[in-house]
Amino acid sequence: MAPPTETLTAERILEATEEVLRRHGPAKATVVDVARALGVSHGSVYRHFRTKAALREAVTKRWLDRTSEKLAVIAAGDGAPEQRLRAWLAALFEAKRHKAGDDPELFATYTVLTDENGTVVGEHIADLTAQLTRIIETGSASGAFTAADPAAAARAVFQATGRFHDPCYAREWQGPGIQDEFEAVVDLLVRGLAA
Amino acid sequence: MAPPTETLTAERILEATEEVLRRHGPAKATVVDVARALGVSHGSVYRHFRTKAALREAVTKRWLDRTSEKLAVIAAGDGAPEQRLRAWLAALFEAKRHKAGDDPELFATYTVLTDENGTVVGEHIADLTAQLTRIIETGSASGAFTAADPAAAARAVFQATGRFHDPCYAREWQGPGIQDEFEAVVDLLVRGLAA
DNA sequence: GGACTGACAGATATTGAAATCTGTCAGCTG
DNA sequence: CAGCTGACAGATTTCAATATCTGTCAGTCC
């Protein structure tokens, strides 16, 4: 299948694993499939990843990191904090909704993997919350927000918008009123922060 | 098992069904089991409920209605709207957390049933949101809240607190910081409503 | 004659044997 | 000798036969 005469790296294995997951889904994607896609024996894959779980965890981390990086650009922007907060939340929602709507099967795969890898997801959430904290801190400094504890406020904002980024709500992201609902929640939260 | 010489009512069937669900769990609870528990043939159960799904739906509705009724008392109370809102949300969270922590198996059963019965759950949510709307309307009238559209605000509050009542978060309700997180979100929302 | 039964057909779930997969490692290969 | 292979043991999954369940209805019993 793939060019067999090329050094086997963790990166190439991850790429092949994503492809296998895309093709077969999370339930039927095996380490043997990954090895076959790479034209090597499955023993070679175990040289780079101790277990199948570790391999899937690494794929999950890659996926989540891609989202983090995109949002970090917005968080580090230089607009008004309130606008940056709105843009950041909208981008998070849009990214998730887009993925879920575009390729529901792949999104289901992604959801299964995140369910298996609580630790990696926890780190991802910590990362996103840290980005939110920075936005709120900027706002507190400029007087746009009045948050005694920006980190706590960031956690509250993240949790209160869960309906618009948590995969367990994915099937509701295609409904008609969803955009209005998103804006209503964000307005309420921004008003609470600015109070 | 049960006294067989007594008229068979929908109510008695529902009671027996709850018991069977409690004992066997949602996957293994059959109509035959329910009939056996009542000392009748399963054909008799089908005289009162057209399908197994309808029977399970009726059980689900009963469960949800019990919660609605308890909360309606708080919603109709006569304290300050802000305090009533806080009390209502706290009662909703406490009720769910208590059920989930007390008897996780029964709660899992309840979760499976609600997943099957989207329509009934939708009505339940509409009911709860209507209660919230009434609280917010009172607050708008008295000047405690400034909500242009109380129904929309109610939906936003309900959705923003999903983490503290939606069963998909049940496993996180036992964690240590959860009470603080709940209060942080409620504070933020109340500030937003009062702004 | 209205409430109930129990046999039935088709759908669904259970079971256990066979196939596949995971993870290891001694040995091959370049 | 570093990287890879492929055979292997134990765990997991698949598959098909078997059993159980759902929903109906003609017939029984007050």
Side-chain angles (χ1 to χ4, degrees), chain B residues 2 8-24 29-31 33-40 45 55 59 62:
Chain B
L8 187 60
T9 63
E11 188 60 23
R12 280 189 66 218
I13 294 173
L14 288 176
E15 218 113 281
T17 306
E18 279 196 26
E19 179 59 21
V20 168
L21 282 166
R22 204 168 280 129
R23 267 198 218 293
H24 299 356
T30 73
V31 176
D33 289 331
V34 173
R36 192 164 27 232
L38 288 163
V40 299
V45 173
L55 175 57
V59 169
R62 246 163 67 115

Side-chain angles (χ1 to χ4, degrees), chain B residues 8 28 40-44 47-48:
Chain B
L8 187 60
K28 308 187 85 183
V40 299
S41 83
H42 73 281
S44 300
R47 175 162 298 282
H48 292 84

Side-chain angles (χ1 to χ4, degrees), chain B residues 155-174:
Chain B
R155 273 198 303 279
V157 168
F158 189 77
Q159 292 172 3
T161 50
R163 179 166 218 271
F164 307 103
H165 53 68
D166 198 311
C168 74
Y169 294 106
R171 68 207 130 119
E172 295 169 43
W173 294 341
Q174 310 308 322

